[in-house]
Amino acid sequence: MADLSQNSSHPLPEAKGPRLAWLKTPWTVSLLILCAVLLLDPGNFQAVIIFAAKALAHTGRYILFAVLLLAYLKATGAETMVARAFVGREVRMIFLAAVFGGLAPFCSCEVIPFIAGLLALGAPLSAVMAFWLASPLIDPPTLLITAGALGWDFAIGKAVIAVALGLFGGFFVKTLMGQGAFADPLKQAPSCSSCCSSGPKLDDKPQWKFWQDPERRLKFRSEFVSNGLFLLKWLALAYVLEAILVHYVPADLIAGLVGGDGVVPIVLAALVGMPAYLNSYVAPPLLAGLMEQGMSAGAAMSFMVAGAVSSIPAMAAVWSLVKPKVFATYLGLGVSGAIVSGVLFQLI
């Protein structure tokens, strides 16, 4: 493509993009929502601001600990421990993959090349599926943020569900593989943007004292700043939206849709949550607001599980990597697992 900065009298037209990129950020959405409240309902503006600020301050200590933990895991190279879980007997691999799926410090982008690398290394699809189902549901930052927004009972329940869903999916796929299914799961070699990590390397060793290495110290600082800003901007938006829900959405409307103790609200929550793009940092505060308005605990859990496993971005990533039968299995396990998880959590 031609370099417009050198062949035109108008300086750097493409630089307009970076200058306007802030318009597409969660900060802008939060600001626009607050401006709308100020213009349309100035009497409630202060109440909305105070509600969102108090909620964000309450979660602040969880954010700080989560960011420090995630930066430490990245700087030490702890993801190599996850890769080693996929070596050995298949049953052992499934168990370890389900557990490590809840500990892996990967963003949604990084999971795709990691999964592709595992399959290329010869890891069985059963163990990979266990990891794939468990990983989006919980990780250390998500656990802490869920605890801050919804309480430790909900956070621990979600962590248990993540491991249980991973185990169920892994052994379900193992059974199908025993009947000759999924012999060649990959559709094609995945492409990856610069934000993604490369595939796993089994011979790498974590360096727990990362501060002794200048490059790892730089990695720690970079991860701390980037993850801190990422969490802050999304949680600020989440708490602004929660304030709007609490102040403007009638409680009886929420209760009528996803309230009550029956199975129907749980199924409905899973079907609504499935295509929703609410990452694991935004969902807990929003669900806290919905539960205050009458949403049942089972429906909230079903919504969160379905949204994490089967959101449109997640489905698009899986579709680009594996063949249709594997995709359909992943989707079916995610949605059915969300419904069963919601029912069980409601009973408990």
Side-chain angles (χ1 to χ4, degrees):
M1 186 172 70
D3 186 351
L4 298 177
S5 65
Q6 295 180 4
N7 297 304
S8 173
S9 59
H10 301 284
L12 295 174
E14 67 264 36
K16 189 176 182 181
R19 285 204 298 266
L20 298 179
W22 63 274
L23 291 173
K24 301 178 182 179
T25 67
W27 297 119
T28 305
V29 179
S30 300
L31 182 61
L32 290 175
I33 292 174
L34 293 176
C35 287
V37 174
L38 181 61
L39 291 173
L40 300 175
D41 188 16
N44 261 331
F45 178 74
Q46 185 177 0
V48 170
I49 288 286
I50 292 174
F51 183 97
K54 284 184 175 180
L56 186 60
H58 173 73
T59 315
R61 61 184 184 272
Y62 296 100
I63 297 175
L64 178 60
F65 185 81
V67 170
L68 287 171
L69 178 60
L70 194 58
Y72 177 76
L73 292 173
K74 287 285 190 177
T76 57
E79 61 264 32
T80 58
M81 297 178 63
V82 179
R84 293 194 193 108
F86 294 85
V87 177
R89 297 174 62 87
E90 185 176 3
V91 171
R92 172 183 173 275
M93 280 189 277
I94 293 173
F95 275 100
L96 290 178
V99 172
F100 275 106
L103 301 175
F106 298 126
C107 69
S108 58
C109 171
E110 291 173 329
V111 168
I112 299 304
F114 189 85
I115 292 295
L118 289 172
L119 292 172
L121 287 172
L125 181 63
S126 57
V128 171
M129 183 65 74
F131 178 86
W132 212 337
L133 289 169
S135 183
L137 287 175
I138 202 73
D139 55 39
T142 303
L143 179 70
L144 294 171
I145 290 170
T146 303
L150 297 170
W152 278 105
D153 289 346
F154 207 104
I156 293 172
K158 187 183 177 187
V160 172
I161 287 169
V163 176
L165 182 57
L167 289 174
F168 174 75
F171 283 107
F172 180 80
V173 170
K174 181 179 183 298
T175 302
L176 294 181
M177 290 174 63
Q179 300 174 4
F182 311 131
D184 185 19
L186 281 176
K187 181 183 294 184
Q188 60 185 9
S191 59
C192 183
S193 64
S194 59
C195 70
C196 297
S197 66
S198 59
K201 296 179 177 62
L202 300 178
D203 55 348
D204 288 349
K205 294 182 179 180
Q207 185 173 327
W208 303 115
K209 297 180 180 180
F210 73 89
W211 52 87
Q212 297 176 350
D213 185 336
E215 290 187 7
R216 291 180 182 269
R217 289 201 303 268
L218 182 62
K219 178 72 171 177
F220 178 86
R221 288 195 297 269
S222 174
E223 290 291 336
F224 179 81
V225 172
S226 62
N227 286 311
L229 291 175
F230 176 83
L231 289 177
L232 186 61
K233 70 183 180 183
W234 280 110
L235 285 173
L237 173 59
Y239 285 124
V240 169
L241 292 175
E242 181 187 357
I244 297 299
L245 280 173
V246 171
H247 283 86
Y248 295 107
V249 178
D252 55 352
L253 175 63
I254 302 297
L257 290 174
V258 288
D261 298 329
V263 177
V264 174
I266 294 174
V267 175
L268 180 61
L271 295 177
V272 172
M274 180 181 67
Y277 182 43
L278 295 176
N279 63 41
S280 297
Y281 309 121
V282 175
L286 287 181
L287 288 173
L290 290 172
M291 290 178 70
E292 289 181 13
Q293 302 292 84
M295 187 180 201
S296 68
M301 181 63 76
S302 179
F303 181 95
M304 184 177 289
V305 173
V309 175
S310 306
S311 66
I312 289 177
M315 287 190 287
V318 177
W319 177 262
S320 69
L321 181 60
V322 297
K323 293 183 176 179
K325 288 183 179 180
V326 180
F327 172 81
T329 303
Y330 171 86
L331 188 60
L333 288 170
V335 176
S336 61
I339 295 172
V340 173
S341 299
V343 171
L344 293 177
F345 190 75
Q346 184 73 27
L347 293 174
I348 296 174

